[in-house]
Amino acid sequence: MTVIIQQPELLGYQEEDKQAPLSDDDVHELVLDGEFVVPETNSFGHTFRDYNAESERKNTVEEFYRMNHINQSYDFVKRMREEYGKLNRAEMSIWECCELLNEYVDESDPDLDEPQSEHLLQTAEAIRKDYPDEDWLHLTGLIHDLGKVLLHPSFGELPQWAVVGDTFPVGCSFDESNVHHKYFKDNPDYNNPSYNTKYGIYSKGCGLDNVMMSWGHDDYMYLVAKENKTTLPPAALFIIRYHSFYPLHRCGAYRHLMNEEDVENLKWLHIFNKYDLYSKSKVRIDVEKVKPYYLSLIEKYFPAKLRW
């Protein structure tokens, strides 16, 4: 299999420059001789991540981002991290959590309206075909969205705007590459001089570990995996925490906050993102056929029961 990755540092823009949006042929796209082929359209016949396409999902998705951008303030994120970081909501296995997602559809997603459990297996199986020897990446595909369990009544039944959607740093200015950026004007941080500059409360090269991201399933699952002492590699935790950080891995925004470790881990996120985004389809996975394989990976990298 041939994999060609054009890395961000080779694209010619500087950290201090205003990053222009990158095309699909730039940062995140791969050329593969493997099994997975990028489809031309999503489940609704439109190009992927087209937030302006007239479809049955357009109004729902835009309203989602309006609420998300108004409410995801620094104080809100800090409060959510403190509350959910206690991991005192439930004790269950990874697979039990997968099954809880059968009843949820992501309102922020313009590309698919299937239950989240379907998307998890589609992502994992697409990765498995092209990277048969990277079992940690297969498992990362399976669990990357498990934080969406926050929608469940046992976890407070949070509104979708506090669980799904593209993520972004809080505590600094909202980059214009964020989807439906116009709605940030009603966020309480928008006019706060402590938070509305390029660096805000951060410094150049401080590292994404030191940056507060908008609250949702990404950050929650990262906390669950880390605090339950998973043996997955650091790149897996990076993927879990930042896979919805599209302003960074699609548009090159916020790179001034990254350190060298982030740059290295971003290479794996670019690989993962293709499968996360383009594997969405109406094609069903035979759960019982693949379940034993993924149970073996869960046993390898996680304890039998996790605190959530």
Side-chain angles (χ1 to χ4, degrees):
M1 176 180 69
T2 302
V3 181
I4 302 174
I5 308 174
Q6 191 173 4
Q7 295 303 334
E9 60 267 30
L10 302 179
L11 293 177
Y13 55 76
Q14 301 298 317
E15 284 185 341
E16 297 300 326
D17 294 340
K18 176 64 179 178
Q19 292 91 352
L22 303 176
S23 71
D24 283 347
D25 293 327
D26 289 327
V27 173
H28 74 292
E29 193 67 339
L30 305 179
V31 177
L32 294 169
D33 292 332
E35 298 288 338
F36 184 71
V37 178
V38 174
E40 294 182 0
T41 59
N42 65 17
S43 298
F44 303 102
H46 302 294
T47 55
F48 284 82
R49 287 183 58 84
D50 185 347
Y51 291 90
N52 296 312
E54 292 297 333
S55 75
E56 57 195 86
R57 300 278 287 163
K58 179 178 184 294
N59 292 337
T60 299
V61 172
E62 183 163 352
E63 176 59 18
F64 163 87
Y65 276 106
R66 186 182 74 84
M67 295 297 295
N68 175 276
H69 291 351
I70 290 172
N71 290 291
Q72 289 275 0
S73 66
Y74 182 86
D75 288 344
F76 170 77
V77 172
K78 184 178 179 181
R79 187 168 69 252
M80 289 295 99
R81 280 193 122 239
E82 290 173 352
E83 178 179 346
Y84 284 92
K86 297 173 185 176
L87 302 183
N88 61 359
R89 296 276 171 166
E91 184 174 303
M92 60 181 169
S93 68
I94 290 286
W95 195 263
E96 287 173 322
C97 188
C98 290
E99 293 178 334
L100 280 181
L101 295 185
N102 283 334
E103 52 195 280
Y104 296 107
V105 173
D106 187 338
E107 291 181 359
S108 73
D109 193 340
D111 298 321
L112 190 65
D113 59 357
E114 294 296 316
Q116 284 302 293
S117 56
E118 292 288 324
H119 169 57
L120 299 179
L121 285 169
Q122 288 172 348
T123 304
E125 284 295 280
I127 294 171
R128 186 180 173 190
K129 286 185 176 71
D130 282 351
Y131 293 87
D133 298 326
E134 305 291 348
D135 68 354
W136 67 270
L137 196 56
H138 311 164
L139 183 57
T140 302
L142 180 72
I143 70 172
H144 75 284
D145 274 349
L146 289 188
K148 292 179 182 179
V149 74
L150 291 171
L151 297 168
H152 194 275
S154 299
F155 290 78
E157 203 168 6
L158 293 181
Q160 291 234 356
W161 61 259
V163 179
V164 299
D166 290 7
T167 58
F168 47 85
V170 294
C172 60
S173 60
F174 304 113
D175 192 87
E176 291 182 1
S177 63
N178 285 291
V179 173
H180 293 306
H181 176 272
K182 61 187 176 183
Y183 294 119
F184 282 120
K185 69 181 187 301
D186 294 320
N187 185 297
D189 294 349
Y190 189 80
N191 294 310
N192 186 329
S194 297
Y195 300 145
N196 66 3
T197 62
K198 178 178 179 178
Y199 289 98
I201 62 174
Y202 310 114
S203 59
K204 180 178 178 180
C206 63
L208 295 181
D209 269 351
N210 297 308
V211 173
M212 195 89 80
M213 298 294 294
S214 56
W215 176 251
H217 71 281
D218 308 62
D219 211 24
Y220 179 59
M221 188 58 205
Y222 164 77
L223 291 174
V224 169
K226 182 181 178 182
E227 295 305 315
N228 281 282
K229 302 191 184 307
T230 180
T231 56
L232 284 170
L237 293 178
F238 187 91
I239 289 169
I240 291 168
R241 192 179 192 194
Y242 303 112
H243 69 269
S244 300
F245 191 5
Y246 277 89
L248 170 66
H249 58 72
R250 187 178 180 90
C251 302
Y254 301 104
R255 283 182 55 83
H256 53 280
L257 301 176
M258 295 171 63
N259 59 23
E260 292 182 4
E261 184 178 0
D262 294 330
V263 172
E264 288 302 309
N265 285 329
L266 186 59
K267 298 173 183 178
W268 280 110
L269 180 52
H270 287 151
I271 290 173
F272 177 85
N273 180 244
K274 171 178 178 173
Y275 301 92
D276 182 20
L277 178 59
Y278 296 116
S279 67
K280 298 171 185 175
S281 73
K282 299 290 187 179
V283 178
R284 306 296 293 270
I285 303 294
D286 186 338
V287 178
E288 292 308 311
K289 181 178 180 180
V290 302
K291 182 178 177 179
Y293 174 70
Y294 288 104
L295 288 178
S296 72
L297 297 188
I298 292 168
E299 183 178 2
K300 178 178 178 180
Y301 290 105
F302 281 95
K305 297 285 186 179
L306 284 71
R307 292 179 298 112
W308 299 80

